[in-house]
């Protein structure tokens, strides 16, 4: 019948629970597995690295398995076996020497045998399953009980006389915790493999944040710092994320990420000066700015082209002093070319100085160029200290 005896019940003459009833009762206290009455396979988290497999020494043919406790779901019957390795165990890999010509793969497994299901013994064992040397080696077939999980693969190189950590591929089953516990997972793939229930929490070891399953998707709760916005696989409206690379704060509006603020503490901007005469004539001339007056943040200059690294509103100001008074003079701030002007001002003789300024929203990667223009051959020059100095200033006002 589908109902199982509860833990723990009995009668006047005999106990009423079987070993399967006992396993089921214990499984009810563990995080779920593939169904509502199964528990997750895995190793219980603990100090250091429980279940880690490593070389026994620099010149040894053996490996060591570190102590651990874990859960192995029964493939025959129902419920989970709780297993323990209470001290380090050494396994001699090269008790069977390496083949002189070909590699082989050995597996380190944790296996539970049970005579009730016709195994030859009832025991828990951490053991080595040796493979066959081959030009294209593969993992060996595991004999004995079907109730086991892998801890590691040992790639025994041809002619090897010792085992090193570089030959060992960790293959742990993942962590398991008590029902309601915070489950550590090492990757997006591992998280997606969890048999999740609404309200379950996992800790992303690869990201350093907690995610909660809400019955439909995994959600990163609260404000986090991420390497990329795409790391947040299922954002919710109002979600806040700081990009680690820029310090930019972004908010999810239900459809897309909106830039909200800069959290790095450095205000983007820059200030550059023209230090030598730059000739101009009756065509827009791209100006360069060889002197940096303050280390720029969020904007770069190369070959006369400014590139925006911090999106948002920018105040742009171009100040020019020309060497010839009696000609038309222009100051121009443009985007991708002189035909894509953001700001322009002019003076028809009678003065040397002219300025142009604008405030514009600029996306990341947008380009800004500054141009000088004169009706007759002239030059933009640097004035003496205390007077107008030809140069360009950019100040970020915010997103």
């Amino acid at each position: 019948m589908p109902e199982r005896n509860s833990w723990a019940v009995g009668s006047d003459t005999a106990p009423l629970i079987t070993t399967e009833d006992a396993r089921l009762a214990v499984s009810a206290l563990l995080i779920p597995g593939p169904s509502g009455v199964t528990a997750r396979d895995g190793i219980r988290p603990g100090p250091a690295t429980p279940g880690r497999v490593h070389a026994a020494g620099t010149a040894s043919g053996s490996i060591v398995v570190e102590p651990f406790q874990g859960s192995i779901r029964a493939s025959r019957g129902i419920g989970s076996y709780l297993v323990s390795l209470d001290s380090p165990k050494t396994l001699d890999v090269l008790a069977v020497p390496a083949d002189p010509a070909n590699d082989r793969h050995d597996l380190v497994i944790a296996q539970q045998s049970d005579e009730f299901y016709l195994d030859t013994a009832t025991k828990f064992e951490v053991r080595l399953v040796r493979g066959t040397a081959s030009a294209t080696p593969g993992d060996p077939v595991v004999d004995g009980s079907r109730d086991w999980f892998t801890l590691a693969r040992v790639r025994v190189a041809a002619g090897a006389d010792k085992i090193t950590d570089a030959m060992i591929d960790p293959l742990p089953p993942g962590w398991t915790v008590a029902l309601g516990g915070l489950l550590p997972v090492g990757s997006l793939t591992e998280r997606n493999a969890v048999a999740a229930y609404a309200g379950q929490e996992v800790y992303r070891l690869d990201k350093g944040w907690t995610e909660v399953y809400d019955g439909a998707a995994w959600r990163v709760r609260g404000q986090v710092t991420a390497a990329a916005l795409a790391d947040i696989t299922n954002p919710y409206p109002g979600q806040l994320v700081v990009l680690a690379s820029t310090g930019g704060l972004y908010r999810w509006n239900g459809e897309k990420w909106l830039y909200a603020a800069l959290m790095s503490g450095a205000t983007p901007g820059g200030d550059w000066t023209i230090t030598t005469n730059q000739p101009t004539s009756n065509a827009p001339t791209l100006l360069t700015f060889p002197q940096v007056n303050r280390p720029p943040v969020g904007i770069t200059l190369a070959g006369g082209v400014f590139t925006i690294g911090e999106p948002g509103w920018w105040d742009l100001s171009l100040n020019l002093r020309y060497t010839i008074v009696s000609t038309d003079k222009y100051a121009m701030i443009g985007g991708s070319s002189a035909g894509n002007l953001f700001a322009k001002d002019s003076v028809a003789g009678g003065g040397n100085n002219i300025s142009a300024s604008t405030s514009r929203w600029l996306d990341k990667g947008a380009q800004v160029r500054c141009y000088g223009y004169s009706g007759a051959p002239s030059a933009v020059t640097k004035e003496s200290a205390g007077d107008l100095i030809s140069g360009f200033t950019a100040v970020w006002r915010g997103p």
Side-chain angles (χ1 to χ4, degrees):
M1 62 181 180
E3 293 85 358
R4 305 299 297 243
N5 286 326
S6 305
W7 183 277
V9 295
S11 70
D12 291 340
T13 58
L16 297 181
I17 63 170
T18 67
T19 54
E20 284 189 347
D21 294 331
R23 288 200 302 273
L24 271 173
V26 171
S27 297
L29 303 177
L30 301 176
I31 194 169
S35 73
V37 290
T38 58
R40 174 181 167 89
D41 279 354
I43 293 173
R44 191 186 73 165
T49 310
R52 183 171 74 96
V53 180
H54 58 90
T58 57
S60 173
S62 297
I63 57 175
V64 176
V65 182
E66 293 298 325
F68 68 92
Q69 290 186 303
S71 170
I72 299 177
R73 189 169 54 251
S75 63
R76 305 156 297 178
I78 197 167
S80 292
Y81 298 99
L82 299 186
V83 298
S84 298
L85 180 71
D86 67 4
S87 59
K89 183 169 184 178
T90 300
L91 300 171
D92 189 354
V93 177
L94 295 184
V96 174
D99 186 86
N102 293 307
D103 297 351
R104 79 166 193 253
H105 289 175
D106 296 349
L107 289 180
V108 183
I109 68 167
Q111 186 176 49
Q112 177 66 55
S113 301
D114 194 332
E115 291 178 273
F116 185 80
Y117 301 111
L118 304 181
D119 292 332
T120 57
T122 296
K123 64 178 180 178
F124 170 64
E125 185 179 14
V126 173
R127 69 187 188 96
L128 189 72
V129 182
R130 289 187 173 84
T132 302
S134 169
T136 55
D139 292 341
V141 175
V142 175
D143 59 330
S145 168
R146 300 199 305 266
D147 300 331
W148 57 274
F149 55 64
T150 306
L151 295 170
R153 175 191 299 115
V154 184
R155 291 174 285 102
V156 182
D161 60 358
K162 61 184 177 182
I163 300 298
T164 67
D165 285 337
M167 298 178 180
I168 300 172
D169 301 325
L171 298 173
W175 303 111
T176 190
V177 295
L179 184 64
L182 184 62
L183 178 68
V185 295
S187 66
L188 178 66
T189 299
E190 190 175 342
R191 185 209 69 183
N192 290 342
V194 172
Y197 57 87
Q200 183 169 359
E201 288 186 286
V202 298
Y203 179 71
R204 288 287 299 274
L205 295 166
D206 58 330
K207 299 298 181 184
W209 63 55
T210 300
E211 299 182 22
V212 180
Y213 188 72
D214 65 2
W218 289 100
R219 313 289 184 183
V220 179
R221 308 306 300 183
Q223 180 181 311
V224 296
T225 300
L229 295 173
D231 289 341
I232 312 301
T233 54
N234 294 288
Y236 56 86
Q239 173 105 50
L240 296 175
V241 176
V242 176
L243 280 186
S245 58
T246 66
L249 178 69
Y250 290 80
R251 179 178 62 85
W252 180 256
N253 72 349
E255 297 181 355
K256 62 182 179 179
W257 290 104
L258 299 178
Y259 188 58
L262 182 70
M263 308 294 286
S264 66
T267 301
D271 185 38
W272 295 264
T273 299
I274 291 174
T275 54
T276 57
N277 286 1
Q278 296 192 24
T280 59
S281 61
N282 58 355
T285 301
L286 181 67
L287 301 175
T288 60
F289 301 86
Q291 179 174 309
V292 179
N293 297 326
R294 56 157 286 181
V297 176
I299 183 172
T300 59
L301 171 63
V305 178
F306 298 90
T307 302
I308 299 298
E310 194 67 44
W313 287 100
W314 284 83
D315 291 337
L316 309 175
S317 178
L318 174 64
N319 302 299
L320 300 180
R321 180 173 179 83
Y322 283 87
T323 56
I324 296 179
V325 175
S326 58
T327 186
D328 296 343
K329 294 167 285 293
Y330 295 82
M332 305 157 66
I333 303 173
S336 58
S337 67
N340 174 220
L341 292 182
F342 298 162
K344 174 182 177 182
D345 204 356
S346 63
V347 59
N352 299 75
N353 303 333
I354 186 170
S355 300
S357 62
T358 185
S359 294
R360 296 184 68 90
W361 171 272
L362 295 172
D363 290 321
K364 182 177 181 178
Q367 294 183 344
V368 177
R369 293 168 170 81
C370 297
Y371 299 93
Y373 180 101
S374 55
S378 183
V380 174
T381 186
K382 178 180 178 181
E383 182 56 282
S384 59
D387 206 337
L388 183 143
I389 297 177
S390 295
F392 176 70
T393 300
V395 178
W396 185 78
R397 289 200 288 121

